[in-house]
Structure formats: C-alpha cells, structure tokens
Amino acid sequence: MNLNNTSITQRLIISSLMSLLMVSFAVLIVIRSLFYIESTLKTETSRHVSELIVNSEISRRVFALTSRVKLLEQTFLYSETVLSEEAFNIDFQLQRLRDLSANQEFSKKIDAFIDNFHRFLGSSLALNRILKQSKAIDAKLAKQLNLLEFAVAASKLEHLSEDRVVIYNNELDIIAMLRESFLTVGKMLGDIHSRITPETEKVLLIEAEKELDILQLHLENLDISTPKVKAQKIKIRKTLNQYHATLRKIRANLDQRWSVMDALVQSQAGLLQLVESTESRVQEQTLQLTSQLEDVITESRFNAIIISLLAFLFSVLLINHVVSRHIQKPLDDLKDGFDRLVSSGTKRPINLGRTDEWGHIESAYNNMAARLSEAYQAITEEKKNFDFLAHHDPLTHLANRLLATKELTNQITHSKQNGTKFLLLYLDIDEFKTINDSLGHAAGDNLLVNVAEKLTRLIGTSGFVARMGGDEFMILMPETNLEQGKFIAQRINKAIKKPYYIDKSTVFVSASIGICEFPDHGCDGETLIRNADTAMYYAKRNGRDSYRIYTDEMTTEVNDIIETSRGLHHAIRRNELTVFFQPKVNLTSGSILGAEALVRWQHPKLGLLPPSAFLEVAEKTDLVVNIDKWVFGKVARLISEWKSEGVDTSNILISVNFSARMFYMTDLAEQLQTILDKTDCAPSQLILEITERDMMRDFETCVRTIETLHAKGYKIAIDDFGTGYSSLSVLKNLSADYIKLDRSFIKDVNSSSSDYEITKAILKLAKVLDLSVVAEGVETQPHVDTLRQLECTLAQGYYFAKPLSVDDWVDYLGKAPDKVVQREEIRLKTVK
C-alpha cells in the first residue's frame, strides 16, 4: 500500500482498528471473570433465594396471624359467633403454616403456638359467657331497683292522707344512692372490656365488690315496712348474691386468662425468633459469597485496567501521530491563509502539497478566497449604508433615537465646555392614534413623512431634528434661549396645523410641544428628554395645539396623572363609575325631551369626582374607549330597566358622549349593536354626541360613520359647536341631527352684543341647514327669554336642573307628568 495515497479516513480507520484490538483483549479477560461469577451465582443464589422465599412467606404469615390474634383478643367480648368464626379461620391458617416448612424445630414452635392459641380460645369463650351472665344479672337488678322505687313511692302516697304525717325524703335519697352504686358497678365491669393490665382488672373487681356492699348497705337503710318494699328488698338481696358469685367467676377466669396470654406471647416470640435466626443465617452465607465474588472481580478489574491503559496509551500515540501529521499541519497552513485573508482582505493562494482530501480543500479555499476578496470590497462600500440605517429612521430618514441620544450627549458636552445654553423641543402629533385607527397605518406613515419634511424645512441647518419613535419628534436648538424657543414653537404649530390630503381624505392635525433649556431644566440627556416629554404632555392636557415650557410643578402634576390613570383601571374593573342625567327641555312647550348622560367617578377615598378630574387622563390612553363603552351600556340597561318598571320612555331621547377614539373605530356600529343585543333598548332612543373638534380630525371618515349610524337608527349631535374650526363647506355636507351651542356663547348672550349676534347667526344657519340646536349652559331666566326671542326651542342647563342621579332623574320625570308630552316634530336633515 502506498501511504502517500492513503486518505485521512483510511489512516484513522487503521489506527482505530489497532486500538480496538487491544481493548478487545481486555474485554475478553473481563468476560472470562464474569462467566465464573455467573456460574457461582446460579448455584448459590438459587439455594439462598429458595430459603429466603420460604422464610419470607413464613414471616409474612406469622405477622399476619399474630395481628389477627391481637385483633381477636380485643374483640372477644362482643360476639361469641365472631369469636368462633375468626378462631376457626386462624386455626386453619396455623395448620397451613405448619405444613409450609420441613424444619423440625419450626414444627415444634408452631405446635406450641397452636396449643396456646387453643387454650386462649377456650378461656375467651368461658369469659364471654360469664360476662353475658353478668349483663343478665345487671339488667335484672336494674328492673328490681325500678320496682323498689315504685313501691317506696306508693307507700308515701298511702300516708299522705293521714293527719300529722311528717314527710321525709330520706327514702328517695337512698333510692338515688342505690342507683348511683348500681351504675358505678356497671361502669367498672364495662371498664374490664378495655383490656387493661391484670393489676387494674383486680382493682376494678375489688372496687365493684365494695360498691355492691355499699349498695346492700343502702338497701338495709331503707326503713319502710310495707309488704311490697320488703318483697323487693328480698329479691334485690338474692340478685346481689348472684352478682357477687359472678364477680368471683370473672376474677378466676381473668387470672387464668393472663397466664394463657403470657404463654401465647412467649410461643409467638419463639416462632418469630426462629424466623429471624433463619434470615440471619442466609444473610451471613450471602455475605461470604459476596466477599468471594468481590475478590474475583477485583482481580479481573486490575487486569482489565492494566490492559486498557496500555491500549489507551498506544491509541493516543498512534492517533496523535496521524492527527499532527495529516490533520494539524494542513489545518495550520489553512489557518494562516484565512488570517491573511481576514487581515488584508486580499486573496493569497495556499499550497498544502497533498493529493488526498486536503488537495480538494486547497482548491476550494483558493476559489473561496478569490470570491471573498471581491465580496470584501463590496461590503466596505455597503458599510456606510448600514451605518446610516443604524442611526436613521427608515420611514422619515430623520435621525433615530440612538443618533439623537448621541447628538444630545455631544451637545451637553459642548455646552458645558463653552458655558452656553441650548433648547430641547419634544413634539407629539395630537390624535395621531385616532388617524391610525380610522385611516390605517399607511395613512399614518404618510402623515409622519409630511410632518418630518415640514420640520426639516423649518429648522434647516440651525438645529437638529430626530424622530424618537411613533409620532414623537425631538429638536435640538444650539445656543438658543427660551424667548427664541417660543417663537420657534409657534412657527412649528402654525406650519403643522394645516389640512393634509392623504388617500383622498382631508386630515387636520396639530402638535403639542414641550420645551426644556439646558442646564436649567436638566444636566443630563435622560433628564432633559423626560422633562421635555412632561411639558409636552402638559400642553396636551391643556388643550393641545400649543407649547409649554417645563417647570418643576409639571412633574408633580404628571405623577398625579399617572396615579389617576392607575385608579381609572381599578374604577372600571370595580364598577366605581356612575351616570348622572341632565334634562333637555323644550323652551316653547316646557316638555322634557330627554337628557344627556354624564359620567362620574365614585372614588373610594375622594368621593364623587366630575369628568374634568379624570376624562382628560383617560383620553391619553385607551381607557377613554372603555369608559365610552361602559356609559353606553349603562344607559342602554337603564332604559331597559325603566321600561320593565313601567316608566314611559317612548318619547325620551338620551344623549351619550363619544370620544374621537371611540367614534372613529371602523366597527363602531357592530360594537354598539353587540351591547344593545343584551338589552331592550333601541338605537332610536339614543343620541350619539361627538365634539366639533374631534369631528374635523377626519371629515370623510366622520361622514361615512354618521351615515352608518343613521342607518341603524341613531341620532347624531355635534357637541361644543362654535369652539372648533369647521367651515361652512364642511358643515353643509355633514348629515348630523343636532348641533349643541357651546355654553361660552350662552353665558353672556344677554350682555354681549357679539355673543348675541353669533348665537343668532348660528340659529339661522342651523335653520337653513335643517339642523336642530340645543343651547347648553342655560342658567337664568334672562337666558331663557333671550333664547325664546331668538327662536331657539331646545336647551339644557342648571336653570332646569343640575345633573341628576338615576333615582333623582326618574323622580324628576314622575313629578312632572304633565310636561312629558308627545315629542314635537323636530326638523331633521334627511339622510341622503
């Protein structure tokens, strides 16, 4: 065989076969030793196992029979039939146990145990019969005592009619003492059944005899000489003599029984000792056999270890030579080639000088090195693109949070070194989630791109713009003071607050901006971002579409908001929310047309909270949707309850306020229908209110939603009308049913000519557009007079009633039945 042409696999196989040959020799030695051990175990173990099986069976049966004898000993006094049957079974088992072993000594022991058992059985039967006799005597004595008591009572009755008779109760006391002694004797005899010690049994019998003597003494003290009493006393004396005789028999039988029990226990102990000695003998023989086999195994183990070590050393040396010569050296050459390729990125062919498998590997490496060299050059070019993607937002191409954080850290370092200040503006798009929910994420992404472009053009090279995630942006303005920051924030708000045309829909958005100044509002990046974010949320909470400069009080307020949000989660789950109703009245007829449902929070610690205390917090999360659903479901259930209680609700319309997040849900009608299906409320009894501002977020979607709700039977109202930024061209195409004139116009309608004219103009506009108007915030009689003069027919406010609890609202309806008339025809715009 030419070794140069032998493959690596063949070399390893030859080395392994030689190692296996030596190991096989060691295995043969071990097998020979194991064969000897096996033959020894077959002969000796079978004998030991046979003895152990028999002895184990004997031991098991002995323990079982002794347990049954103990149980028999405890129950012999209760049933002679059970005693006889159980004794027969035990005797049968003892006879079978005697035949189980051919050992003469065991046969003698078992015969002794059987003999003592028979003696124990005879003693138990005799004692059982004596105790039965004692029970019969006991019953007889009880009957005689009863007859004696009757005789004594009869004698007392006979002497009651005699003159100058002194009645004593000594006889009755003696009768009581007789009964007490009788019961004591019975209890002592009963205690013998508990199988206590012989000494205790003797004491009990002596005490019982003494108590019988006391009973006889009480009997003699009964000094009544009537014939019946005397006759009963004679009978009791005879019975007491029988009782004494029975106690003597019991004493004699118990003495004999304890001696029989001692003999039975001794024979049982001897039997068990024999079983234990047999087991000890077999165990000793087993230990001797084990020691013998261990010596054989030790010798075989030593021989196997020596041969195995030699085989191992030979194998290690042989395989080490093969590996170092035919594997390690080519691998080192290949590793050097890879190191050169990684370090320089250029291909350098290797030459292993082999014709086996390494020749194929050499060719494959050289080809791979050529391709990797080309790829390395391409990766170097792409690395720049990867670096850009790692630090920039893929949607807007603005800097991402990672790059923004680095830039902020660099700006802080620069400002500290130069003693300058800079501003951090944190911006968030108002109601962005509503746009995402109503138009989809693609439309939301389109909006973010437009906002990013406007911010980039507006800030230019004077600052740094980054997208921090979602709809949040961060702007760094180096060497800029707060006054300049206010002007920048106003420009940003003005630039963003314009209509956006996305997917054939017109969307109106605004932004809330928080402003922080370094180092007054924070000395590190995390603090500055957190405080700017706090100021931004403060701007949202105070009306959105604005900016706020951070103050320390804002952090405290944000913490309060977080606490309120956490409390709202518990409030919805624990049903702490409640609904109040503010009536709506027809100013012309005075009839009650319905009410607006207003949510309240019955806080467990703070009491009843108005909506202003928690709804603004709820609107920042999805909690507002949960609250809207809860109020809607509550109103529907209440209407159903009022119907079942006989309240006429056919002419009453209840208004329910919806947030923008709820109103712009694509499956709003289906969700509402699911709630109504569980009640007896119809959509025609409900008015759904949405604010003018929320309506204008996405006008096209709003129109489609209103058309869908109209088709289901709901009425739609535009709340807070006049405070938003809707245009007449938009309003004329909106198929709403009501507009609610905001209370800010009604408050000074009597004293302000501008408010008067605005109210008058809105009423005329509503008449032209075929919309009904509900005036909010009516609090005085002049308000009512002015609104009547302006031909406004619907109103609500404190002048009629403050928001009422459910019970107060029902009472309000019941106390004014003459005002609840057929609802007048309200001019509604026809849904086209």
Side-chain angles (χ1 to χ4, degrees):
M1 179 184 293
N2 188 354
L3 293 179
N4 292 330
N5 295 328
T6 303
S7 66
I8 297 174
T9 303
Q10 292 173 339
R11 296 172 193 270
L12 290 175
I13 290 175
I14 294 171
S15 302
S16 301
L17 287 175
M18 295 180 68
S19 302
L20 183 62
L21 182 63
M22 296 192 68
V23 173
S24 299
F25 183 68
V27 172
L28 288 175
I29 294 177
V30 175
I31 291 174
R32 177 180 173 277
S33 300
L34 292 176
F35 177 77
Y36 171 75
I37 293 170
E38 182 182 3
S39 62
T40 305
L41 285 175
K42 283 182 178 178
T43 56
E44 295 295 328
T45 304
S46 60
R47 181 172 60 84
H48 290 164
V49 168
S50 178
E51 290 187 19
L52 285 175
I53 290 174
V54 174
N55 196 68
S56 175
E57 181 65 19
I58 292 173
S59 177
R60 183 184 65 79
R61 294 191 181 186
V62 167
F63 277 111
L65 287 174
T66 53
S67 300
R68 293 182 69 176
V69 170
K70 289 181 181 179
L71 181 62
L72 187 62
E73 175 191 346
Q74 297 172 1
T75 61
F76 76 94
L77 295 176
Y78 300 102
S79 173
E80 185 172 347
T81 302
V82 174
L83 179 64
S84 300
E85 292 178 355
E86 185 64 18
F88 176 78
N89 291 332
I90 294 175
D91 187 61
F92 178 73
Q93 295 295 331
L94 287 172
Q95 295 298 333
R96 291 183 61 186
L97 183 61
R98 187 180 185 280
D99 299 334
L100 191 62
S101 176
N103 191 319
Q104 295 296 326
E105 185 178 359
F106 175 76
S107 298
K108 292 179 181 179
K109 296 287 185 180
I110 197 67
D111 288 341
F113 185 81
I114 293 172
D115 182 59
N116 287 318
F117 174 71
H118 288 161
R119 292 175 59 200
F120 160 76
L121 182 61
S123 174
S124 299
L125 290 171
L127 182 59
N128 190 58
R129 294 190 183 100
I130 294 172
L131 290 174
K132 285 184 177 179
Q133 293 176 5
S134 68
K135 291 181 180 179
I137 295 171
D138 193 74
K140 180 180 178 182
L141 182 57
K143 183 177 181 181
Q144 290 173 350
L145 287 174
N146 290 335
L147 294 174
L148 177 63
E149 184 176 3
F150 291 151
V152 171
S155 67
K156 284 185 173 293
L157 291 173
E158 290 175 0
H159 292 84
L160 285 177
S161 60
E162 297 179 5
D163 298 333
R164 298 181 180 178
V165 173
V166 179
I167 299 173
Y168 299 97
N169 292 323
N170 293 339
E171 293 82 355
L172 297 178
D173 294 339
I174 291 173
I175 293 296
M177 289 187 288
L178 285 172
R179 288 191 178 278
E180 182 179 358
S181 298
F182 166 71
L183 294 175
T184 304
V185 172
K187 182 178 182 303
M188 290 179 178
L189 287 181
D191 290 341
I192 295 176
H193 293 194
S194 63
R195 300 305 300 139
I196 49 185
T197 63
E199 291 75 10
T200 308
E201 288 179 347
K202 292 177 181 179
V203 172
L204 286 174
L205 289 172
I206 293 172
E207 293 295 331
E209 289 180 346
K210 287 182 179 180
E211 199 65 36
L212 285 176
D213 293 337
I214 293 172
L215 190 150
Q216 190 166 2
L217 180 61
H218 291 326
L219 183 65
E220 297 300 331
N221 288 334
L222 185 63
D223 189 15
I224 297 178
S225 57
T226 62
K228 291 183 179 181
V229 174
K230 288 180 178 181
Q232 290 302 322
K233 289 174 65 176
I234 293 171
K235 291 180 180 180
I236 292 174
R237 290 191 191 100
K238 291 180 180 180
T239 305
L240 289 176
N241 291 333
Q242 293 175 357
Y243 224 136
H244 280 293
T246 303
L247 290 178
R248 287 194 293 274
K249 290 179 182 180
I250 292 174
R251 181 186 298 117
N253 189 280
L254 287 175
D255 291 340
Q256 180 186 3
R257 179 177 175 78
W258 280 108
S259 64
V260 171
M261 285 297 299
D262 291 339
L264 183 63
V265 171
Q266 290 176 3
S267 62
Q268 174 185 330
L271 190 60
L272 294 176
Q273 185 177 4
L274 177 62
V275 173
E276 292 177 356
S277 64
T278 302
E279 290 181 352
S280 300
R281 177 175 55 79
V282 173
Q283 290 177 357
E284 184 178 356
Q285 293 176 354
T286 303
L287 290 175
Q288 293 176 357
L289 177 61
T290 303
S291 177
Q292 181 183 356
L293 294 178
E294 284 180 351
D295 294 339
V296 176
I297 293 172
T298 301
E299 182 181 356
S300 301
R301 184 187 299 114
F302 177 77
N303 294 333
I305 290 174
I306 294 299
I307 297 175
S308 298
L309 286 175
L310 292 175
F312 175 75
L313 291 174
F314 175 77
S315 302
V316 168
L317 293 174
L318 182 60
I319 293 175
N320 180 63
H321 172 74
V322 173
V323 170
S324 61
R325 176 71 179 83
H326 301 285
I327 297 178
Q328 188 62 47
K329 184 177 182 304
L331 281 177
D332 291 339
D333 295 339
L334 189 62
K335 178 179 177 297
D336 293 339
F338 275 113
D339 290 339
R340 290 193 299 269
L341 180 63
V342 172
S343 61
S344 62
T346 58
K347 59 179 180 178
R348 290 187 62 182
I350 61 172
N351 184 11
L352 302 179
R354 304 293 294 266
T355 59
D356 50 15
E357 291 93 339
W358 286 112
H360 298 289
I361 294 175
E362 174 188 323
S363 176
Y365 169 81
N366 290 332
N367 292 332
M368 179 193 67
R371 291 194 298 270
L372 284 178
S373 179
E374 296 174 1
Y376 183 82
Q377 300 298 328
I379 290 173
T380 303
E381 296 297 327
E382 289 293 331
K383 188 177 180 182
K384 299 177 181 179
N385 296 331
F386 290 151
D387 183 69
F388 178 83
L389 292 175
H391 293 86
H392 290 79
D393 175 42
L395 177 65
T396 61
H397 300 298
L398 293 177
N400 60 11
R401 179 179 289 272
L402 177 62
L403 182 57
T405 304
K406 292 180 179 179
E407 183 67 22
L408 178 58
T409 302
N410 294 335
Q411 184 62 51
I412 291 173
T413 302
H414 175 77
S415 296
K416 286 181 178 180
Q417 292 174 352
N418 296 279
T420 60
K421 297 183 178 183
F422 68 87
L423 295 184
L424 187 149
L425 285 74
Y426 209 84
L427 180 146
D428 180 89
I429 305 301
D430 296 331
E431 295 296 341
F432 179 75
K433 189 176 186 305
T434 302
I435 296 172
N436 258 347
D437 293 341
S438 58
L439 298 180
H441 289 280
D445 291 345
N446 195 347
L447 175 62
L448 290 175
V449 171
N450 288 330
V451 171
E453 291 175 353
K454 288 188 177 182
L455 291 177
T456 302
R457 288 196 301 269
L458 188 64
I459 301 302
T461 58
S462 60
F464 174 83
V465 182
R467 182 189 177 198
M468 302 299 285
D471 60 332
E472 296 180 348
F473 297 86
M474 186 187 81
I475 301 172
L476 285 179
M477 299 299 298
E479 300 181 5
T480 306
N481 56 38
L482 285 176
E483 290 299 324
Q484 294 171 326
K486 294 177 183 179
F487 175 72
I488 294 171
Q490 290 173 357
R491 289 179 59 198
I492 292 174
N493 281 332
K494 184 178 179 181
I496 291 178
K497 191 176 61 175
K498 291 182 178 180
Y500 294 83
Y501 302 98
I502 300 174
D503 294 338
K504 299 180 182 180
S505 297
T506 303
V507 177
F508 293 87
V509 298
S510 59
S512 298
I513 304 173
I515 303 175
C516 275
E517 183 182 39
F518 175 86
D520 296 340
H521 298 150
C523 296
D524 59 86
E526 182 180 356
T527 303
L528 285 170
I529 292 175
R530 183 178 64 250
N531 290 341
D533 186 53
T534 299
M536 180 267 292
Y537 274 108
Y538 191 83
K540 277 186 175 294
R541 188 168 181 267
N542 289 273
R544 302 185 182 93
D545 189 21
S546 61
Y547 67 88
R548 290 293 185 275
I549 297 173
Y550 174 77
T551 61
D552 292 337
E553 290 77 9
M554 291 181 183
T555 299
T556 303
E557 186 169 348
V558 168
N559 291 335
D560 292 340
I561 292 173
I562 295 173
E563 185 65 27
T564 301
S565 178
R566 187 184 299 112
L568 273 177
H569 278 284
H570 296 301
I572 296 172
R573 188 174 65 253
R574 298 171 182 171
N575 204 26
E576 293 176 359
L577 300 180
T578 185
V579 174
F580 277 58
F581 294 90
Q582 187 171 36
K584 294 181 183 178
V585 177
N586 187 308
L587 295 178
T588 303
S589 63
S591 61
I592 302 171
L593 300 178
E596 179 180 1
L598 303 171
V599 66
R600 299 288 189 269
W601 180 5
Q602 188 63 51
H603 197 283
K605 295 181 180 179
L606 304 178
L608 190 66
L609 299 180
S612 59
F614 59 90
L615 278 187
E616 292 181 2
V617 176
E619 287 178 354
K620 294 180 175 62
T621 64
D622 287 333
L623 283 176
V624 70
V625 174
N626 296 335
I627 293 175
D628 288 345
K629 291 181 180 179
W630 185 92
V631 173
F632 183 85
K634 182 68 174 178
V635 170
R637 290 191 297 273
L638 286 173
I639 292 176
S640 300
E641 292 175 7
W642 296 336
K643 287 182 179 180
S644 63
E645 294 171 359
V647 179
D648 184 10
T649 61
S650 59
N651 300 310
I652 299 299
L653 290 176
I654 303 298
S655 297
V656 180
N657 292 283
F658 274 0
S659 64
R661 290 192 182 183
M662 181 72 179
F663 197 80
Y664 283 111
M665 286 185 171
T666 55
D667 60 342
L668 175 63
E670 289 78 7
Q671 291 193 44
L672 298 184
Q673 189 60 46
T674 300
I675 297 174
L676 291 185
D677 288 342
K678 301 176 182 178
T679 67
D680 191 26
C681 177
S684 59
Q685 295 179 274
L686 299 171
I687 301 175
L688 307 183
E689 295 189 7
I690 182 172
T691 64
E692 178 189 9
R693 184 187 187 92
D694 291 336
M695 177 195 70
M696 295 306 298
R697 295 294 180 190
D698 180 5
F699 179 73
E700 286 80 3
T701 301
C702 182
V703 170
R704 291 193 297 270
T705 301
I706 291 176
E707 290 176 352
T708 302
L709 295 174
H710 269 153
K712 295 288 185 179
Y714 297 99
K715 301 294 186 293
I716 305 299
I718 303 174
D719 197 9
D720 298 340
F721 185 80
T723 61
Y725 41 83
S726 60
S727 63
L728 294 179
S729 61
V730 170
L731 188 60
K732 72 175 183 178
N733 295 316
L734 189 65
S735 55
D737 303 296
Y738 300 90
I739 58 174
K740 300 189 72 176
L741 191 58
D742 189 70
R743 65 183 68 249
S744 61
F745 299 109
I746 305 302
K747 179 180 178 181
D748 298 322
V749 70
N750 302 107
S751 57
S752 172
S753 58
S754 59
D755 286 344
Y756 178 88
E757 292 299 331
I758 291 174
T759 302
K760 181 178 179 180
I762 291 175
L763 289 170
K764 288 183 178 180
L765 175 64
K767 185 176 182 180
V768 172
L769 297 176
D770 200 13
L771 295 172
S772 296
V773 179
V774 180
E776 295 182 299
V778 178
E779 298 181 356
T780 63
Q781 183 63 45
H783 286 167
V784 174
D785 295 339
T786 302
L787 290 172
R788 285 175 176 169
Q789 178 185 350
L790 294 174
E791 297 182 0
C792 178
T793 57
L794 305 179
Q796 68 181 82
Y798 285 5
Y799 177 78
F800 307 104
K802 292 184 177 181
L804 304 172
S805 65
V806 175
D807 293 337
D808 292 339
W809 161 246
V810 175
D811 292 341
Y812 184 84
L813 286 177
K815 291 178 181 178
D818 54 319
K819 293 184 179 181
V820 182
V821 298
Q822 291 294 325
R823 187 178 58 192
E824 66 174 2
E825 291 297 327
I826 302 175
R827 290 176 288 108
L828 303 177
K829 183 176 180 181
T830 303
V831 179
K832 298 182 180 180

